[in-house]
Amino acid sequence: MTNSRGEFSSRFGFLMAASGSAVGLGNIWGFPTNAASNGGAAFLFTYLLLALVLAYPALMAELIIGRHSRSNAVTALQLISVGEKSKLLGFLVGFLGIVTVTFILSFYAVVSGWMFALFIEPIARFFGWISVASWLEFDSTARNIIALVLFMVLTISIINAGVQNGIEKWARRLMPALITILIALSLYVFTLPGALVGLQAYLIPDFTRVASAELLVDAMGQAFFSLSLGVGTMLVYGSYLSKEENLPMIGGLVALLDVGIAVLAGLLILPAMYVALESGVEIFDSQGNLIAGPRLIVSVLPNLFGTMGSVGLFVAFSFFALMTIASLTSSISMLEVPVSYAVEELNFSRSRASVSIGGFVTIMSILIAMNFDWLFDVVVTLTTELSQPLLGLFFCIFVGWIWRRDAILEEIRCGSPNVQNSIFWKIWPFYVKFICPLAILMVYLQ
Ligand code: TRP
C-alpha cells in the first residue's frame, strides 16, 4: 500500500498545499472580524503570540506523526502507540478526527457555496444576464444548494485527481493567485476615502481587552481553526512530505504564511468596511458593534462594491474569486482526510472514495442549507468548539506522552540532521508535553 501513496513533488508544492489548507475563510473572514470586535491590534498580538507558542507546536506534532507514519490519521496514531490501550485511543482519536473534519466540511461547503455564487454573479452581470445575476445575488435556499453542489463537485474532482495531479497542482496555481489578489485589493482600497479610519480601528490596540478571557478563547479558537489542527488534516499532508525536508522550518513557514495572510486580510477587510461607511453603507449592528457575521461578507461588502460603479463589478469579481480560492484549497484538505482513510484502510479506489464521501458531505451540506437557521450553528459549535480542541489536546498527548522521544527525534533528523542542538528541540518537546495540553484544557473549560 505504501508504494502507491502519493507524495508532494517539491517543497514549494507542499508549502502551497499546506498553506492553502490553513488559509481559508477563517483567515479572510474570521480573523479580521474577530480582531475588529476584540480590541483591534490587541487581538492581533494575542493571536500572533498564541499562533507561535501553541498552534505552531501543535502543527509540528501533526506534521511529524504524519511524515513518520506515511499513512492516514487512524493508522498513524495506532502506529506510534505503544500498548493495546493507547492503540485503541489512537483509533478513537483518529476516527473522531475523520468524522469531525467531515462535518466541518459540511458546513464549510455551505458558506463556500455563497462565495462561489457571489463570484459568478459579477460575471453574469458583465455579460448582461441580469436575471441570472439577481438570482445569484439573492440569498435563497435553491441558490445556496446549487452553489454548494457545484463547489463540492470542484472539491471532489481535485481530490479524485490525487496528491500530485490534484492537490499539489491546484494549490500551486491557486495560492499565488490568492496572494496577488489580496495584495492588489488592499492597495486599491487604501486609495479610497475612509480607509485610514479602518486601518486605525484595526491597528490601534485597545489594551483593556488583552487580558480578557473571552479574547484569549477567541484567539486560540481562531489559531486552531486557522491552522487546520486537531483533525488530521496536517497529519495527512505531512504524510505526503518527503523525508528530505526540514520539518521545523517548513512547519514554521506554513504557520508564518497563515498568520501573514490573516494579518494582510485585516488590512483589506477593515479599511473596506470604513470605506463602505463613508459611502453610506451600514457597518454597525444595533448594539454599535461592527457587523461581523455572514452579513459582513454577503451584505456589507457587496453593498460597498455596488457603490463603486463599473469598477465595483471588477472588485466584486476579484474579491469573491479570492474567497472561493481560499475555500477550495481548504475544502480539498478536509476531504483528503476521510478519503485517505477509505483508500488505505477500507481498500476503496481513490475515485470511489472521493465520490462516495464527497457525495455524503454534499448531502449533509444540503441538509444544513435547508435547515440553516438552527442546524448551521449547532454543527459549527459541535465540531469546532467541542470536538476540534479536544482532539487537538489528544494529538499533543500522543506526541508528548505516548510516542517514544527517540523515535520522534529520529524522524525530525531526517531533513534536519542537527536538530538535536537547535532551540527547536530544546523547547518544542516541553511545549507539546505540558504547555499545549494545559493551555488547550484551560481554554476548553472556559
Ligand atoms: N484552516 C481553514 C480556514 O482557516 C479551514 C480548515 C481546513 C480547517 N482544514 C481544516 C479547519 C481542518 C478545521 C479543521 O478556513
Side-chain angles (χ1 to χ4, degrees):
M1 197 92 267
T2 340
N3 294 337
S4 64
R5 291 193 97 238
E7 184 170 296
F8 290 112
S9 70
S10 66
R11 175 181 306 168
F12 181 72
F14 171 82
L15 264 182
M16 291 301 103
S19 63
S21 166
V23 173
L25 299 173
N27 300 61
I28 300 179
W29 178 341
F31 176 77
T33 54
N34 248 326
S37 47
N38 278 308
F43 183 83
L44 185 69
F45 290 138
T46 320
Y47 176 73
L48 289 180
L49 198 74
L50 287 180
L52 190 76
V53 301
L54 280 180
Y56 171 68
L59 169 69
M60 287 310 301
E62 283 202 37
L63 289 180
I64 295 171
I65 302 178
R67 197 183 66 170
H68 173 77
S69 62
R70 293 232 160 289
S71 63
N72 65 86
V74 172
T75 315
L77 288 176
Q78 288 179 302
L79 207 79
I80 61 169
S81 302
V82 203
E84 283 308 311
K85 277 201 197 108
S86 64
K87 279 210 170 31
L88 181 66
L89 186 68
F91 176 82
L92 285 178
V93 171
F95 196 77
L96 256 180
I98 291 177
V99 174
T100 303
V101 78
T102 305
F103 282 94
I104 292 182
L105 180 55
S106 314
F107 80 74
Y108 204 81
V110 176
V111 182
S112 307
W114 303 341
M115 301 301 114
F116 190 56
L118 294 170
F119 161 62
I120 307 292
E121 191 260 344
I123 305 179
R125 209 169 283 283
F126 178 79
F127 286 108
W129 304 328
I130 301 302
S131 54
V132 178
S134 318
W135 183 78
L136 283 168
E137 194 178 17
F138 184 71
D139 176 28
S140 70
T141 308
R143 177 205 74 168
N144 293 345
I145 291 177
I146 291 176
L148 83 82
V149 169
L150 291 175
F151 179 80
M152 280 307 297
V153 168
L154 287 178
T155 305
I156 294 168
S157 320
I158 295 178
I159 287 306
N160 189 25
V163 177
Q164 269 187 30
N165 284 326
I167 300 174
E168 180 173 354
K169 182 163 128 192
W170 283 98
R172 290 175 84 124
R173 290 177 180 170
L174 294 175
M175 286 310 287
L178 178 141
I179 295 173
T180 313
I181 299 176
L182 187 56
I183 293 176
L185 277 179
S186 343
L187 289 179
Y188 174 67
V189 167
F190 277 146
T191 65
L192 303 174
L196 271 169
V197 188
L199 202 60
Q200 282 169 354
Y202 178 42
L203 292 181
I204 296 184
D206 173 1
F207 279 114
T208 55
R209 311 216 31 176
V210 174
S212 88
E214 185 195 343
L215 182 138
L216 273 176
V217 175
D218 281 358
M220 165 133 151
Q222 178 68 38
F224 259 75
F225 185 83
S226 187
L227 274 173
S228 315
L229 295 176
V231 293
T233 307
M234 288 300 181
L235 187 157
V236 170
Y237 273 18
S239 78
Y240 301 136
L241 187 58
S242 145
K243 290 276 183 196
E244 258 111 72
E245 295 298 346
N246 177 334
L247 277 176
M249 188 209 53
I250 210 165
L253 282 176
V254 172
L256 274 183
L257 270 170
D258 180 57
V259 170
I261 291 179
V263 172
L264 202 60
L267 293 178
L268 167 65
I269 302 286
L270 288 163
M273 286 185 88
Y274 283 83
V275 171
L277 181 68
E278 191 87 3
S279 327
V281 176
E282 189 50 66
I283 66 167
F284 295 102
D285 62 17
S286 48
Q287 278 115 45
N289 298 318
L290 274 178
I291 295 176
R295 266 179 70 204
L296 163 67
I297 303 285
V298 302
S299 137
V300 175
L301 294 180
N303 280 342
L304 165 67
F305 305 145
T307 64
M308 291 176 168
S310 49
V311 186
L313 212 57
F314 187 69
V315 176
F317 168 78
S318 317
F319 179 75
F320 287 108
L322 172 77
M323 296 304 262
T324 306
I325 293 174
S327 308
L328 192 59
T329 51
S330 295
S331 66
I332 55 178
S333 76
M334 298 184 205
L335 186 57
E336 182 63 17
V337 179
V339 165
S340 63
Y341 175 71
V343 169
E344 288 169 15
E345 290 300 298
L346 310 176
N347 285 321
F348 278 38
S349 68
R350 192 168 245 283
S351 54
R352 183 166 159 227
S354 25
V355 171
S356 58
I357 300 171
F360 172 78
V361 171
T362 311
I363 294 171
M364 297 311 294
S365 307
I366 293 176
L367 287 177
I368 295 175
M370 287 168 63
N371 300 286
F372 189 84
D373 288 337
W374 64 275
L375 192 53
F376 185 81
D377 280 345
V378 173
V379 181
V380 173
T381 310
L382 282 179
T383 53
T384 64
E385 284 169 34
L386 213 67
S387 177
Q388 207 192 349
L390 196 64
L391 292 170
L393 176 74
F394 277 107
F395 272 96
C396 293
I397 291 180
F398 264 95
V399 171
W401 297 87
I402 297 178
W403 197 7
R404 292 195 346 262
R405 179 78 78 97
D406 52 340
I408 302 179
L409 181 60
E410 196 184 321
E411 179 56 41
I412 315 179
R413 280 170 88 169
C414 307
S416 45
N418 298 322
V419 74
Q420 208 164 356
N421 306 316
S422 68
I423 45 168
F424 177 80
W425 189 250
K426 295 209 170 76
I427 300 178
W428 177 78
F430 176 75
Y431 257 92
V432 269
K433 191 160 185 164
F434 298 107
I435 310 279
C436 292
L438 262 178
I440 300 175
L441 206 65
M442 265 163 56
V443 172
Y444 195 69
L445 296 180
Q446 282 284 334

